[in-house]
Amino acid sequence: MDLADPTTLPDPYEIQPFAGPIDAVVRPPGSKSITNRALLCAAFARGTTELSGVLWSDDTEAMVAALRTLGIDIEGAPGDDQVVVHGGGGELAPGPRALDGRLSGTTTRFVASALALGRGTYHLDASPAMRARPLDATFDALTQLGASVAPVGADPLPAAITPPREPRGPARLRMAGDATSQSLSGALLVGPCLPGGLVIELTTPLVSRPYVELTLAVMRAFGAEVNEEPGARYVVAPGGYAGSSTGKYDIEPDATAASYLWSAAALTRGRVVVEGLGSSSLQGDVGFADVLGAMGATVEREGGSTAVSLGGDLAGIEVDIGSMSDTAQTLAVVAVHATGPTRMDGIGFIRRKETDRIGAVVAELGRLGITAHEHDDGFTVEPGTPRPGVVRTYDDHRMAMSFALLGLVSPGIEIADPGCVAKTFPEYFAVLESLRPPGRLTAR
Protein backbone atom coordinates (compact mmCIF):
# COMPACT_ATOMS: atom_id res chain seq x y z
CA MET A 1 0.00 0.00 0.00
CA ASP A 2 1.45 3.35 -1.07
CA LEU A 3 -0.12 6.22 0.88
CA ALA A 4 1.20 8.69 -1.70
CA ASP A 5 -0.77 6.90 -4.41
CA PRO A 6 -4.40 6.85 -3.25
CA THR A 7 -5.35 4.42 -5.99
CA THR A 8 -3.47 1.69 -4.08
CA LEU A 9 -5.43 2.16 -0.86
CA PRO A 10 -8.09 -0.35 0.19
CA ASP A 11 -11.66 0.75 -0.39
CA PRO A 12 -12.88 1.66 2.16
CA TYR A 13 -9.74 2.94 3.87
CA GLU A 14 -9.73 3.04 7.68
CA ILE A 15 -8.07 6.00 9.37
CA GLN A 16 -6.05 5.03 12.41
CA PRO A 17 -6.47 7.49 15.32
CA PHE A 18 -3.57 9.51 16.68
CA ALA A 19 -2.88 8.78 20.33
CA GLY A 20 -1.78 12.31 21.15
CA PRO A 21 -1.44 15.89 19.92
CA ILE A 22 0.56 16.62 16.79
CA ASP A 23 3.44 19.08 16.49
CA ALA A 24 4.52 19.51 12.89
CA VAL A 25 5.83 21.88 10.26
CA VAL A 26 4.52 21.11 6.79
CA ARG A 27 4.30 22.68 3.35
CA PRO A 28 1.21 21.63 1.36
CA PRO A 29 1.42 21.05 -2.38
CA GLY A 30 0.99 23.97 -4.75
CA SER A 31 -2.36 25.69 -5.11
CA LYS A 32 -4.65 24.05 -7.63
CA SER A 33 -6.44 27.33 -8.22
CA ILE A 34 -3.24 29.25 -8.86
CA THR A 35 -1.65 26.46 -10.91
CA ASN A 36 -4.50 26.33 -13.43
CA ARG A 37 -4.72 30.13 -13.67
CA ALA A 38 -0.96 30.46 -14.10
CA LEU A 39 -0.86 27.71 -16.74
CA LEU A 40 -3.50 29.54 -18.77
CA CYS A 41 -1.89 32.98 -18.42
CA ALA A 42 1.51 31.55 -19.35
CA ALA A 43 -0.08 29.83 -22.36
CA PHE A 44 -1.62 33.14 -23.50
CA ALA A 45 1.58 35.12 -22.84
CA ARG A 46 4.28 36.11 -25.25
CA GLY A 47 7.53 34.27 -24.59
CA THR A 48 8.49 31.55 -22.14
CA THR A 49 7.52 31.25 -18.48
CA GLU A 50 9.01 28.96 -15.86
CA LEU A 51 6.39 27.96 -13.27
CA SER A 52 7.63 26.60 -9.95
CA GLY A 53 5.67 24.99 -7.12
CA VAL A 54 3.28 23.46 -9.65
CA LEU A 55 0.63 21.10 -8.32
CA TRP A 56 0.28 17.85 -10.23
CA SER A 57 -3.19 16.40 -9.74
CA ASP A 58 -6.08 15.23 -11.90
CA ASP A 59 -7.34 18.81 -12.23
CA THR A 60 -4.04 20.35 -13.27
CA GLU A 61 -3.09 17.46 -15.52
CA ALA A 62 -6.40 18.02 -17.30
CA MET A 63 -5.42 21.66 -17.89
CA VAL A 64 -1.96 20.73 -19.18
CA ALA A 65 -3.44 18.15 -21.56
CA ALA A 66 -6.02 20.61 -22.87
CA LEU A 67 -3.45 23.34 -23.47
CA ARG A 68 -1.18 20.91 -25.28
CA THR A 69 -4.12 19.90 -27.47
CA LEU A 70 -4.57 23.60 -28.27
CA GLY A 71 -0.99 23.82 -29.49
CA ILE A 72 0.80 25.12 -26.41
CA ASP A 73 4.26 23.65 -25.80
CA ILE A 74 4.57 22.71 -22.11
CA GLU A 75 7.72 21.07 -20.77
CA GLY A 76 7.08 19.06 -17.62
CA ALA A 77 5.56 15.86 -16.29
CA PRO A 78 3.85 14.74 -13.07
CA GLY A 79 6.27 15.03 -10.18
CA ASP A 80 8.20 17.96 -11.64
CA ASP A 81 8.24 21.00 -9.38
CA GLN A 82 8.98 23.25 -12.34
CA VAL A 83 7.15 23.49 -15.65
CA VAL A 84 8.19 25.55 -18.67
CA VAL A 85 5.38 27.02 -20.78
CA HIS A 86 6.10 28.41 -24.24
CA GLY A 87 3.34 30.95 -24.67
CA GLY A 88 1.34 31.25 -27.85
CA GLY A 89 0.63 34.97 -27.57
CA GLY A 90 -3.11 34.33 -27.49
CA GLU A 91 -3.07 32.07 -30.56
CA LEU A 92 -4.60 28.59 -30.34
CA ALA A 93 -4.29 25.66 -32.71
CA PRO A 94 -7.38 25.58 -34.96
CA GLY A 95 -10.11 22.98 -34.71
CA PRO A 96 -11.34 20.40 -35.13
CA ARG A 97 -9.85 19.28 -31.83
CA ALA A 98 -11.25 17.23 -28.96
CA LEU A 99 -10.78 18.53 -25.41
CA ASP A 100 -11.51 16.78 -22.12
CA GLY A 101 -11.99 18.76 -18.90
CA ARG A 102 -12.22 15.51 -16.90
CA LEU A 103 -13.56 16.24 -13.39
CA SER A 104 -12.04 19.71 -13.29
CA GLY A 105 -14.38 22.69 -13.10
CA THR A 106 -11.58 25.20 -13.61
CA THR A 107 -10.21 23.35 -16.62
CA THR A 108 -13.60 22.86 -18.24
CA ARG A 109 -14.81 26.42 -17.74
CA PHE A 110 -11.49 28.17 -18.40
CA VAL A 111 -10.78 26.17 -21.55
CA ALA A 112 -14.31 26.71 -22.82
CA SER A 113 -13.81 30.45 -22.43
CA ALA A 114 -10.39 30.26 -24.10
CA LEU A 115 -11.98 28.79 -27.22
CA ALA A 116 -13.27 32.28 -28.03
CA LEU A 117 -9.71 32.88 -29.30
CA GLY A 118 -9.59 29.86 -31.60
CA ARG A 119 -10.59 29.00 -35.15
CA GLY A 120 -12.68 26.13 -36.43
CA THR A 121 -14.84 23.93 -34.24
CA TYR A 122 -13.82 22.30 -30.98
CA HIS A 123 -15.45 19.36 -29.20
CA LEU A 124 -15.45 19.83 -25.43
CA ASP A 125 -16.35 17.04 -23.03
CA ALA A 126 -15.71 16.08 -19.41
CA SER A 127 -16.37 13.29 -16.93
CA PRO A 128 -19.98 12.25 -16.28
CA ALA A 129 -19.98 14.13 -12.96
CA MET A 130 -18.68 17.31 -14.58
CA ARG A 131 -21.18 17.05 -17.43
CA ALA A 132 -23.99 17.59 -14.95
CA ARG A 133 -22.44 20.64 -13.28
CA PRO A 134 -23.65 24.11 -14.34
CA LEU A 135 -22.00 25.57 -17.43
CA ASP A 136 -24.75 27.93 -18.53
CA ALA A 137 -22.93 31.09 -17.39
CA THR A 138 -19.79 30.11 -19.30
CA PHE A 139 -21.68 29.16 -22.44
CA ASP A 140 -23.84 32.29 -22.27
CA ALA A 141 -20.69 34.43 -22.11
CA LEU A 142 -19.31 32.64 -25.18
CA THR A 143 -22.57 33.25 -27.02
CA GLN A 144 -22.48 36.95 -26.12
CA LEU A 145 -18.99 37.07 -27.63
CA GLY A 146 -20.39 35.69 -30.87
CA ALA A 147 -19.41 32.05 -30.49
CA SER A 148 -21.68 29.13 -31.25
CA VAL A 149 -22.25 26.52 -28.53
CA ALA A 150 -24.13 23.37 -29.52
CA PRO A 151 -24.60 20.72 -26.81
CA VAL A 152 -24.67 17.22 -28.24
CA GLY A 153 -27.20 15.78 -25.77
CA ALA A 154 -29.39 16.74 -22.84
CA ASP A 155 -26.49 17.82 -20.60
CA PRO A 156 -24.33 20.89 -21.23
CA LEU A 157 -21.52 18.57 -22.30
CA PRO A 158 -20.37 17.28 -24.65
CA ALA A 159 -20.66 20.36 -26.82
CA ALA A 160 -19.37 21.67 -30.13
CA ILE A 161 -17.96 25.19 -29.75
CA THR A 162 -17.25 27.41 -32.75
CA PRO A 163 -15.47 30.71 -31.96
CA PRO A 164 -16.71 34.02 -33.38
CA ARG A 165 -15.51 34.58 -36.95
CA GLU A 166 -14.49 38.20 -36.54
CA PRO A 167 -14.18 39.16 -32.88
CA ARG A 168 -14.45 42.89 -32.40
CA GLY A 169 -13.97 45.12 -29.42
CA PRO A 170 -14.37 46.20 -26.92
CA ALA A 171 -16.40 43.11 -26.14
CA ARG A 172 -19.13 43.51 -23.53
CA LEU A 173 -20.60 40.84 -21.30
CA ARG A 174 -23.40 40.79 -18.77
CA MET A 175 -22.88 37.98 -16.27
CA ALA A 176 -24.52 36.84 -13.06
CA GLY A 177 -22.23 37.25 -10.08
CA ASP A 178 -23.96 34.56 -8.05
CA ALA A 179 -23.17 31.81 -10.55
CA THR A 180 -19.92 29.92 -10.10
CA SER A 181 -17.03 32.37 -9.98
CA GLN A 182 -15.12 30.12 -12.38
CA SER A 183 -17.31 31.39 -15.23
CA LEU A 184 -16.43 35.00 -14.45
CA SER A 185 -12.77 34.10 -14.00
CA GLY A 186 -12.73 32.27 -17.33
CA ALA A 187 -14.09 35.32 -19.14
CA LEU A 188 -11.64 37.65 -17.38
CA LEU A 189 -8.66 35.44 -18.28
CA VAL A 190 -9.53 35.64 -21.98
CA GLY A 191 -10.18 39.39 -21.92
CA PRO A 192 -6.63 40.69 -22.57
CA CYS A 193 -6.40 38.62 -25.76
CA LEU A 194 -9.59 40.01 -27.32
CA PRO A 195 -8.85 42.69 -29.95
CA GLY A 196 -10.55 45.49 -28.05
CA GLY A 197 -10.38 44.10 -24.55
CA LEU A 198 -13.43 43.28 -22.47
CA VAL A 199 -15.97 44.96 -20.22
CA ILE A 200 -18.00 42.76 -17.86
CA GLU A 201 -21.04 44.01 -15.96
CA LEU A 202 -22.37 41.85 -13.14
CA THR A 203 -26.14 41.58 -12.92
CA THR A 204 -26.27 40.01 -9.44
CA PRO A 205 -24.04 40.24 -6.33
CA LEU A 206 -20.70 38.46 -6.58
CA VAL A 207 -20.08 35.27 -4.62
CA SER A 208 -16.67 33.72 -3.99
CA ARG A 209 -14.99 37.12 -4.38
CA PRO A 210 -11.59 35.83 -3.16
CA TYR A 211 -11.36 33.50 -6.16
CA VAL A 212 -12.05 36.36 -8.55
CA GLU A 213 -9.46 38.51 -6.79
CA LEU A 214 -7.03 35.60 -7.12
CA THR A 215 -7.70 35.56 -10.87
CA LEU A 216 -7.01 39.28 -11.13
CA ALA A 217 -3.76 38.92 -9.15
CA VAL A 218 -2.44 36.17 -11.43
CA MET A 219 -3.48 38.10 -14.55
CA ARG A 220 -1.62 41.18 -13.36
CA ALA A 221 1.47 39.13 -12.54
CA PHE A 222 1.54 38.16 -16.21
CA GLY A 223 1.27 41.75 -17.41
CA ALA A 224 -2.48 42.13 -17.97
CA GLU A 225 -4.23 45.39 -17.17
CA VAL A 226 -7.58 44.80 -15.48
CA ASN A 227 -9.60 46.96 -13.10
CA GLU A 228 -12.72 46.59 -11.01
CA GLU A 229 -14.84 49.72 -11.30
CA PRO A 230 -17.88 51.01 -9.39
CA GLY A 231 -21.16 49.48 -10.47
CA ALA A 232 -19.83 45.90 -10.48
CA ARG A 233 -17.87 46.41 -13.70
CA TYR A 234 -14.61 44.80 -14.73
CA VAL A 235 -12.61 46.48 -17.47
CA VAL A 236 -9.86 44.46 -19.16
CA ALA A 237 -7.50 46.31 -21.46
CA PRO A 238 -6.46 44.76 -24.78
CA GLY A 239 -2.87 43.95 -25.60
CA GLY A 240 -2.56 40.38 -24.36
CA TYR A 241 -0.22 39.07 -21.70
CA ALA A 242 3.36 40.35 -21.76
CA GLY A 243 4.39 37.54 -19.44
CA SER A 244 6.00 37.60 -16.02
CA SER A 245 8.59 40.37 -15.74
CA THR A 246 11.21 37.82 -14.68
CA GLY A 247 10.09 34.96 -16.91
CA LYS A 248 9.34 33.03 -13.71
CA TYR A 249 6.27 32.63 -11.54
CA ASP A 250 6.18 30.91 -8.14
CA ILE A 251 2.96 29.14 -7.11
CA GLU A 252 2.22 29.28 -3.41
CA PRO A 253 0.93 26.24 -1.47
CA ASP A 254 -2.75 25.42 -1.56
CA ALA A 255 -4.65 27.19 1.21
CA THR A 256 -7.63 24.82 1.05
CA ALA A 257 -5.24 21.90 1.53
CA ALA A 258 -3.80 23.77 4.50
CA SER A 259 -7.26 23.91 6.09
CA TYR A 260 -7.09 20.15 6.71
CA LEU A 261 -3.69 20.46 8.37
CA TRP A 262 -4.72 23.34 10.63
CA SER A 263 -7.86 21.39 11.52
CA ALA A 264 -5.78 18.34 12.41
CA ALA A 265 -3.93 20.54 14.92
CA ALA A 266 -7.20 21.74 16.44
CA LEU A 267 -8.79 18.30 16.63
CA THR A 268 -5.75 16.69 18.30
CA ARG A 269 -5.10 19.77 20.49
CA GLY A 270 -1.69 20.12 18.91
CA ARG A 271 0.15 22.57 16.67
CA VAL A 272 0.79 22.74 12.94
CA VAL A 273 2.89 25.34 11.15
CA VAL A 274 2.05 25.63 7.46
CA GLU A 275 4.97 27.07 5.50
CA GLY A 276 4.47 29.19 2.41
CA LEU A 277 1.14 30.67 3.49
CA GLY A 278 1.44 33.84 5.52
CA SER A 279 0.16 37.37 5.68
CA SER A 280 0.93 38.00 2.01
CA SER A 281 -0.96 35.00 0.61
CA LEU A 282 -3.12 35.52 -2.47
CA GLN A 283 -5.72 32.95 -1.44
CA GLY A 284 -8.86 33.74 0.50
CA ASP A 285 -8.91 30.31 2.14
CA VAL A 286 -6.01 31.30 4.40
CA GLY A 287 -8.80 32.97 6.39
CA PHE A 288 -9.86 29.52 7.57
CA ALA A 289 -7.16 29.75 10.22
CA ASP A 290 -8.98 32.79 11.63
CA VAL A 291 -12.25 30.81 11.72
CA LEU A 292 -10.45 28.27 13.92
CA GLY A 293 -9.19 31.22 15.93
CA ALA A 294 -12.79 32.32 16.51
CA MET A 295 -13.47 28.84 17.86
CA GLY A 296 -10.65 29.12 20.40
CA ALA A 297 -7.48 28.15 18.55
CA THR A 298 -4.33 30.27 18.63
CA VAL A 299 -3.27 31.62 15.24
CA GLU A 300 0.28 32.87 14.66
CA ARG A 301 0.77 34.43 11.25
CA GLU A 302 4.05 35.66 9.79
CA GLY A 303 5.06 36.75 6.33
CA GLY A 304 5.77 33.24 5.14
CA SER A 305 3.90 30.89 7.48
CA THR A 306 0.77 30.41 9.58
CA ALA A 307 0.59 28.30 12.72
CA VAL A 308 -2.55 27.00 14.41
CA SER A 309 -2.56 25.43 17.86
CA LEU A 310 -5.15 24.52 20.47
CA GLY A 311 -4.71 23.92 24.17
CA GLY A 312 -8.31 23.98 25.35
CA ASP A 313 -11.78 23.48 23.96
CA LEU A 314 -13.33 24.48 20.65
CA ALA A 315 -16.39 26.72 20.84
CA GLY A 316 -19.28 26.51 18.41
CA ILE A 317 -19.76 29.59 16.24
CA GLU A 318 -22.00 31.11 13.61
CA VAL A 319 -20.13 32.11 10.45
CA ASP A 320 -20.81 33.19 6.88
CA ILE A 321 -18.27 31.05 5.09
CA GLY A 322 -19.29 31.89 1.53
CA SER A 323 -15.97 33.59 0.78
CA MET A 324 -14.11 30.34 1.49
CA SER A 325 -16.73 27.79 0.57
CA ASP A 326 -14.27 24.97 -0.19
CA THR A 327 -13.52 24.80 3.54
CA ALA A 328 -17.14 24.30 4.61
CA GLN A 329 -16.81 20.53 4.83
CA THR A 330 -13.61 20.90 6.85
CA LEU A 331 -15.32 23.18 9.35
CA ALA A 332 -18.26 20.78 9.58
CA VAL A 333 -15.91 18.06 10.80
CA VAL A 334 -14.15 20.34 13.28
CA ALA A 335 -17.56 21.42 14.59
CA VAL A 336 -18.30 17.86 15.68
CA HIS A 337 -15.80 18.34 18.51
CA ALA A 338 -16.88 21.82 19.58
CA THR A 339 -18.68 22.51 22.85
CA GLY A 340 -21.77 23.91 21.13
CA PRO A 341 -23.48 23.97 17.73
CA THR A 342 -21.81 25.56 14.70
CA ARG A 343 -23.89 27.20 11.98
CA MET A 344 -22.47 27.92 8.52
CA ASP A 345 -24.28 30.20 6.09
CA GLY A 346 -23.60 31.85 2.74
CA ILE A 347 -22.90 28.58 0.94
CA GLY A 348 -26.13 27.64 -0.81
CA PHE A 349 -24.25 27.50 -4.12
CA ILE A 350 -22.08 24.55 -2.98
CA ARG A 351 -25.06 22.30 -3.69
CA ARG A 352 -23.87 22.53 -7.31
CA LYS A 353 -20.25 21.49 -6.75
CA GLU A 354 -18.90 17.96 -7.29
CA THR A 355 -21.92 16.88 -5.29
CA ASP A 356 -24.56 18.59 -3.17
CA ARG A 357 -22.06 19.40 -0.48
CA ILE A 358 -24.69 20.54 2.00
CA GLY A 359 -26.81 17.41 1.65
CA ALA A 360 -23.76 15.14 1.57
CA VAL A 361 -22.26 16.58 4.75
CA VAL A 362 -25.53 16.28 6.67
CA ALA A 363 -26.11 12.73 5.43
CA GLU A 364 -22.64 11.45 6.26
CA LEU A 365 -22.54 13.09 9.68
CA GLY A 366 -25.87 11.39 10.35
CA ARG A 367 -24.37 8.08 9.24
CA LEU A 368 -21.81 8.53 12.03
CA GLY A 369 -24.43 9.43 14.61
CA ILE A 370 -23.88 13.20 14.51
CA THR A 371 -26.90 15.50 14.29
CA ALA A 372 -26.77 18.13 11.53
CA HIS A 373 -29.48 20.27 9.97
CA GLU A 374 -29.73 21.63 6.43
CA HIS A 375 -30.64 25.25 5.71
CA ASP A 376 -31.27 26.82 2.34
CA ASP A 377 -27.95 28.61 2.60
CA GLY A 378 -25.89 26.21 4.69
CA PHE A 379 -26.10 23.82 7.64
CA THR A 380 -25.76 23.51 11.41
CA VAL A 381 -23.65 20.83 13.10
CA GLU A 382 -24.34 19.70 16.66
CA PRO A 383 -21.37 18.39 18.66
CA GLY A 384 -21.17 14.72 19.49
CA THR A 385 -19.12 11.54 19.53
CA PRO A 386 -18.86 9.86 16.12
CA ARG A 387 -19.59 6.16 15.97
CA PRO A 388 -17.65 3.87 13.61
CA GLY A 389 -18.82 3.84 10.03
CA VAL A 390 -18.00 4.11 6.35
CA VAL A 391 -18.20 7.63 4.94
CA ARG A 392 -19.51 7.87 1.41
CA THR A 393 -17.56 10.42 -0.62
CA TYR A 394 -19.83 10.94 -3.66
CA ASP A 395 -16.79 11.18 -5.97
CA ASP A 396 -15.93 14.39 -4.11
CA HIS A 397 -12.32 14.77 -3.00
CA ARG A 398 -13.26 17.26 -0.27
CA MET A 399 -15.67 14.82 1.36
CA ALA A 400 -12.83 12.30 1.62
CA MET A 401 -10.23 14.71 2.95
CA SER A 402 -12.46 16.45 5.48
CA PHE A 403 -14.11 13.35 6.96
CA ALA A 404 -10.75 11.59 7.22
CA LEU A 405 -9.92 14.13 9.93
CA LEU A 406 -12.57 12.61 12.18
CA GLY A 407 -10.55 9.40 12.13
CA LEU A 408 -7.59 11.13 13.76
CA VAL A 409 -9.49 11.28 17.07
CA SER A 410 -12.33 8.75 16.67
CA PRO A 411 -11.81 5.02 15.97
CA GLY A 412 -13.50 3.11 13.19
CA ILE A 413 -13.81 5.92 10.61
CA GLU A 414 -13.50 4.50 7.10
CA ILE A 415 -13.39 6.51 3.86
CA ALA A 416 -15.01 5.06 0.74
CA ASP A 417 -13.24 5.67 -2.56
CA PRO A 418 -10.10 7.21 -1.03
CA GLY A 419 -8.62 7.50 -4.51
CA CYS A 420 -10.83 10.49 -5.25
CA VAL A 421 -8.35 12.75 -3.42
CA ALA A 422 -6.16 12.53 -6.53
CA LYS A 423 -8.31 15.29 -8.00
CA THR A 424 -6.42 17.97 -6.08
CA PHE A 425 -4.18 16.39 -3.39
CA PRO A 426 -2.86 12.95 -4.43
CA GLU A 427 -0.49 12.68 -1.45
CA TYR A 428 -3.13 13.66 1.09
CA PHE A 429 -3.13 10.45 3.11
CA ALA A 430 0.68 10.32 3.11
CA VAL A 431 0.85 13.91 4.37
CA LEU A 432 -1.78 13.18 7.02
CA GLU A 433 0.21 10.18 8.19
CA SER A 434 3.39 12.30 8.34
CA LEU A 435 1.73 14.34 11.09
CA ARG A 436 1.43 11.30 13.36
CA PRO A 437 3.46 11.79 16.57
CA PRO A 438 6.50 9.47 16.83
CA GLY A 439 5.93 6.23 18.65
CA ARG A 440 2.18 6.32 18.20
CA LEU A 441 -0.19 4.10 16.27
CA THR A 442 0.70 3.62 12.62
CA ALA A 443 -1.43 3.14 9.54
CA ARG A 444 -2.22 -0.44 8.63
Side-chain angles (χ1 to χ4, degrees):
M1 181 176 68
D2 181 1
L3 291 176
D5 180 0
T7 63
T8 69
L9 301 182
D11 186 2
Y13 173 60
E14 183 175 355
I15 307 297
Q16 299 300 307
F18 289 5
I22 60 179
D23 185 4
V25 178
V26 63
R27 185 182 181 93
S31 164
K32 181 262 292 187
S33 297
I34 298 179
T35 295
N36 270 358
R37 285 163 172 80
L39 283 167
L40 197 63
C41 288
F44 287 158
R46 298 183 290 273
T48 297
T49 306
E50 182 181 285
L51 304 178
S52 60
V54 170
L55 169 71
W56 286 101
S57 68
D58 283 353
D59 277 19
T60 58
E61 289 176 31
M63 178 64 82
V64 169
L67 291 175
R68 284 172 170 162
T69 298
L70 292 172
I72 304 300
D73 182 8
I74 299 176
E75 299 178 43
D80 293 344
D81 180 69
Q82 295 184 334
V83 169
V84 177
V85 182
H86 300 275
E91 296 286 333
L92 303 179
R97 290 176 187 264
L99 300 155
D100 185 358
R102 303 187 194 177
L103 271 169
S104 173
T106 52
T107 299
T108 303
R109 295 187 179 99
F110 291 179
V111 168
S113 299
L115 297 180
L117 306 176
R119 291 173 288 124
T121 297
Y122 302 86
H123 186 271
L124 178 64
D125 202 357
S127 69
M130 185 64 217
R131 288 175 186 168
R133 292 175 64 183
L135 287 162
D136 49 328
T138 298
F139 287 171
D140 180 64
L142 279 168
T143 302
Q144 289 184 61
L145 291 174
S148 169
V149 180
V152 174
D155 290 327
L157 294 176
I161 300 175
T162 304
R165 293 184 179 179
E166 297 180 6
R168 298 176 181 176
R172 295 183 178 274
L173 295 178
R174 288 174 58 82
M175 300 185 70
D178 57 356
T180 172
S181 64
Q182 292 173 1
S183 296
L184 174 57
S185 288
L188 287 167
L189 287 162
V190 170
C193 300
L194 297 174
L198 178 65
V199 176
I200 300 176
E201 296 183 7
L202 298 186
T203 58
T204 56
L206 178 63
V207 298
S208 300
R209 173 175 288 276
Y211 287 102
V212 177
E213 292 177 346
L214 177 62
T215 299
L216 301 181
V218 177
M219 290 173 66
R220 289 167 181 149
F222 281 84
E225 181 181 338
V226 54
N227 295 293
E228 182 178 3
E229 297 186 347
R233 279 167 41 102
Y234 292 90
V235 179
V236 186
Y241 290 90
S244 167
S245 60
T246 62
K248 298 181 179 181
Y249 185 82
D250 295 329
I251 296 166
E252 68 185 37
D254 193 287
T256 314
S259 76
Y260 307 117
L261 309 177
W262 290 321
S263 295
L267 289 170
T268 65
R269 288 178 167 77
R271 185 172 188 267
V272 166
V273 180
V274 172
E275 293 186 321
L277 291 174
S279 55
S280 60
S281 172
L282 296 175
Q283 300 167 76
D285 283 6
V286 295
F288 184 81
D290 298 314
V291 174
L292 293 176
M295 299 180 78
T298 298
V299 180
E300 304 165 81
R301 184 174 283 117
E302 298 180 357
S305 67
T306 300
V308 169
S309 58
L310 182 71
D313 292 329
L314 288 164
I317 59 172
E318 293 187 12
V319 58
D320 184 325
I321 203 165
S323 64
M324 54 185 97
S325 61
D326 279 346
T327 67
Q329 290 141 296
T330 321
L331 183 56
V333 166
V334 173
V336 170
H337 291 281
T339 56
T342 294
R343 177 174 178 133
M344 283 160 269
D345 291 308
I347 50 173
F349 58 92
I350 71 172
R351 292 185 184 276
R352 303 184 300 274
K353 293 283 190 175
E354 281 81 345
T355 186
D356 173 356
R357 285 181 169 171
I358 292 176
V361 164
V362 170
E364 296 314 302
L365 287 176
R367 186 184 304 280
L368 301 177
I370 301 299
T371 300
H373 314 280
E374 289 191 43
H375 314 300
D376 289 342
D377 206 27
F379 49 76
T380 296
V381 178
E382 304 284 347
T385 301
R387 64 189 178 213
V390 177
V391 176
R392 294 182 301 182
T393 50
Y394 306 85
D395 205 18
D396 183 351
H397 54 133
R398 302 212 182 279
M399 287 295 293
M401 291 187 283
S402 58
F403 274 80
L405 296 172
L406 281 179
L408 302 184
V409 290
S410 298
I413 303 299
E414 298 180 80
I415 304 299
D417 186 22
C420 68
V421 302
K423 185 176 190 296
T424 55
F425 198 166
E427 290 108 8
Y428 176 71
F429 291 108
V431 172
L432 206 61
E433 182 63 23
S434 74
L435 303 179
R436 186 179 297 277
R440 307 292 184 180
L441 297 171
T442 58
R444 292 177 184 173

